[in-house]
Amino acid sequence: MEASWLSIIPFLVVIPIAIFTKEVLPGLIAGLLMGCYLLSPTLLGGMQTFLLYVVQALIDENNIKIVVFLYSFAGLVGMIKATGGIKGFVEKAAEKITTKKQALTITYISTIGTFIAPTFRFVTITPIMKALLKKVPMSTKELGFVIESTATPLIVLIPVATAFVGYMVSVIQISVENVGGQFEPYSLFIQSIPFNFFAITIILVGIYLSFFHPSHTDEPTMIDGEDQEDWHDCHPAVSKDLPIKPWNLLVPIVIVIGLTLFLTWWDGALQGYSFFEAFINANVLQAMVVALLITVFLSIAFFLFQKFTLSGLINSFITGGNDLMSVIVLLSVVWGLSSVTDDLGFTGFVTAHTNWIPTMFITPLMFAFGALVSYFIGSAWGTWGILMPLGVSLSLAGDVSLPLIIGAVFASGSFGAFASPLSDDTNTIAKILGLSVMDYARFKLKPALIAAGISVVLYTGMSFLM
């Protein structure tokens, strides 16, 4: 379909509904429905078209691989929790840490083994810090800030073996395909990482607060005696009822990271590329999914050897996988929305009507707008799904560096995940630390806004240079 102003109507529906309901999925579904009825303006035709787009999204080979990856990843984490892997890591680490410097150092070093997902980071690190709160001269809010700055902001910068990678590559892929681009989506993701300026800046702020900034707050830093909640009660993953088996965390993580790197290299090497070129030119999604499936089967064998029951492992795998079903539904609607807006002529419309925007302002405006949206909906993934098609279209229309604007879209979602009182990150860490969600969100908003302001300046500067 040729360029039409009708193509922007689904987005004009998505964003207000998402902000008003504080939920991403209702807005996305409403936007997809609107697009389908614009294409098939009959009562039955619009609904049939809605079903068609969702089904087409789910039967795409790469999309199915991403669904398998996300479900299997969450299932593996579920088994690690149920077999005491997380609790074992927490127990052993808490026994050996006695000072603030040790506690903060382990917070950063532990990212090597716990970067799978933000919640995974929180349930492995926060109980350790909570157990040591008497010895750490920091307010609970500062402690939460430091831990959270090593969660989503750090995970979005890691290109392998995280719950984010498959989704991030997917939204790039569908956005690039909609504009008829021939770019390799994983390569674009790698190139965009240095341009996620918010994530990089907020990590640096967290390091500063950790090691160079004394606590200046009237909030008590110690919790005495009976007032101190047992950290075993702060999350089911560290429950007293679970065994203490740190190797049940470490072994699966080592296997999945090692296999992912090896199979990625192997795929590229079979195509005749040199060592470093192999990683860029390989079918990374295929390598990640195969590595993960092998890890799941090896982990099950490892857990069975320890006398865990097969039925218990299967139940924990399914429970963990089901935790991400909402994300899988979100993805299917995002894929459908991107396709329907493309069929309505969205790319052509953006190309024809945005040439009045000075090139130097496209990327910083994209980041600022995305940060605003992500703050009010509280979802990085939702923000990326909504705005990546717009960002890629603007990049090609305004001759802006594609990795730069992709990095800006990812940075805008990272802002909301970190700063929004609605985000899962904010609510999870506040619950574990026993903080008021709104008080904690207000505490970290100022440094988040400072990091966002620095990011706008950097995006403006890079727009001059690229």
Side-chain angles (χ1 to χ4, degrees), residues 262-277:
F262 173 76
L263 293 177
T264 301
W265 165 80
W266 181 253
D267 184 79
L270 288 178
Q271 299 178 51
Y273 291 102
S274 65
F275 182 79
F276 291 107
E277 289 179 337

Side-chain angles (χ1 to χ4, degrees), residues 16-335:
I17 291 179
I19 291 174
F20 178 75
T21 63
K22 298 179 174 58
E23 294 285 345
V24 179
L25 191 56
L28 288 169
I29 291 174
L32 177 55
L33 273 172
M34 177 62 73
C36 292
Y37 275 101
L38 288 172
L39 287 172
S40 305
T42 65
L43 181 61
L44 188 59
M47 194 57 67
Q48 289 175 331
T49 305
F50 176 89
L51 178 62
L52 176 65
Y53 275 102
V54 173
V55 170
Q56 284 181 337
L58 288 174
I59 63 176
D60 179 87
E61 180 183 353
N62 284 331
N63 291 353
I64 282 291
K65 287 179 182 177
I66 289 166
V67 169
V68 171
F69 176 83
L70 291 173
Y71 193 94
S72 300
F73 212 109
L76 176 63
V77 172
M79 290 194 296
I80 290 171
K81 290 178 183 177
T83 56
I86 292 177
K87 183 187 176 183
F89 177 84
V90 173
E91 290 275 9
K92 296 302 180 183
E95 289 174 3
K96 299 182 181 299
I97 297 171
T98 58
T99 67
K100 173 188 175 181
K101 186 175 180 180
Q102 289 176 338
L104 293 172
T105 299
I106 195 64
T107 298
Y108 287 94
I109 292 177
S110 65
T111 58
I112 296 171
T114 61
F115 59 74
I116 291 174
T119 303
F120 198 72
R121 284 279 298 142
F122 297 150
V123 300
T124 50
I125 292 304
T126 311
I128 298 173
M129 300 295 281
K130 188 170 184 178
L132 298 168
L133 204 55
K134 287 183 177 181
K135 305 171 184 177
V136 179
M138 298 178 74
S139 74
T140 314
K141 291 174 186 175
E142 287 177 322
L143 186 60
F145 180 96
V146 169
I147 295 170
E148 200 175 346
S149 68
T150 63
T152 294
L154 185 66
I155 292 168
V156 296
L157 303 177
I158 297 174
V160 294
T162 76
F164 281 45
V165 172
Y167 183 87
M168 296 172 82
V169 172
S170 171
V171 294
I172 294 174
Q173 177 182 325
I174 190 68
S175 302
V176 168
E177 288 177 352
N178 285 350
V179 299
Q182 300 300 314
F183 307 98
E184 206 289 309
Y186 184 76
S187 179
L188 281 176
F189 170 57
I190 295 292
Q191 294 173 57
S192 75
I193 290 174
F195 301 119
N196 192 332
F197 292 138
F198 175 79
I200 295 169
T201 304
I202 204 69
I203 290 171
L204 295 176
V205 172
I207 292 173
Y208 169 73
L209 281 178
S210 296
F211 298 103
F212 306 105
H213 180 71
S215 177
H216 294 299
T217 177
D218 294 330
E219 180 189 343
T221 58
M222 300 197 315
I223 305 177
D224 298 318
E226 61 186 36
D227 293 324
Q228 183 173 11
E229 179 189 357
D230 187 343
W231 61 265
H232 292 91
D233 300 325
C234 70
H235 196 277
V238 291
S239 168
K240 291 178 181 177
D241 298 331
L242 293 173
I244 301 173
K245 294 184 176 290
W247 288 108
N248 288 351
L249 166 66
L250 300 175
V251 169
I253 287 177
V254 170
I255 293 174
V256 74
I257 294 173
L259 278 176
T260 299
L261 294 174
F262 173 76
L263 293 177
T264 301
W265 165 80
W266 181 253
D267 184 79
L270 288 178
Q271 299 178 51
Y273 291 102
S274 65
F275 182 79
F276 291 107
E277 289 179 337
F279 286 95
I280 298 298
N281 293 284
N283 185 338
V284 181
L285 178 58
Q286 174 83 6
M288 287 195 303
V289 175
V290 172
L292 179 59
L293 291 177
I294 293 173
T295 302
V296 168
F297 292 128
L298 290 177
S299 297
I300 290 174
F302 180 58
F303 298 146
L304 287 174
F305 181 74
Q306 300 174 54
K307 308 301 183 185
F308 288 100
T309 65
L310 183 59
S311 60
L313 293 173
I314 292 173
N315 287 336
S316 59
F317 180 87
I318 293 174
T319 300
N322 288 346
D323 286 343
L324 271 192
M325 282 306 299
S326 61
V327 171
I328 292 170
V329 173
L330 175 74
L331 256 180
S332 65
V333 179
V334 165
W335 289 326

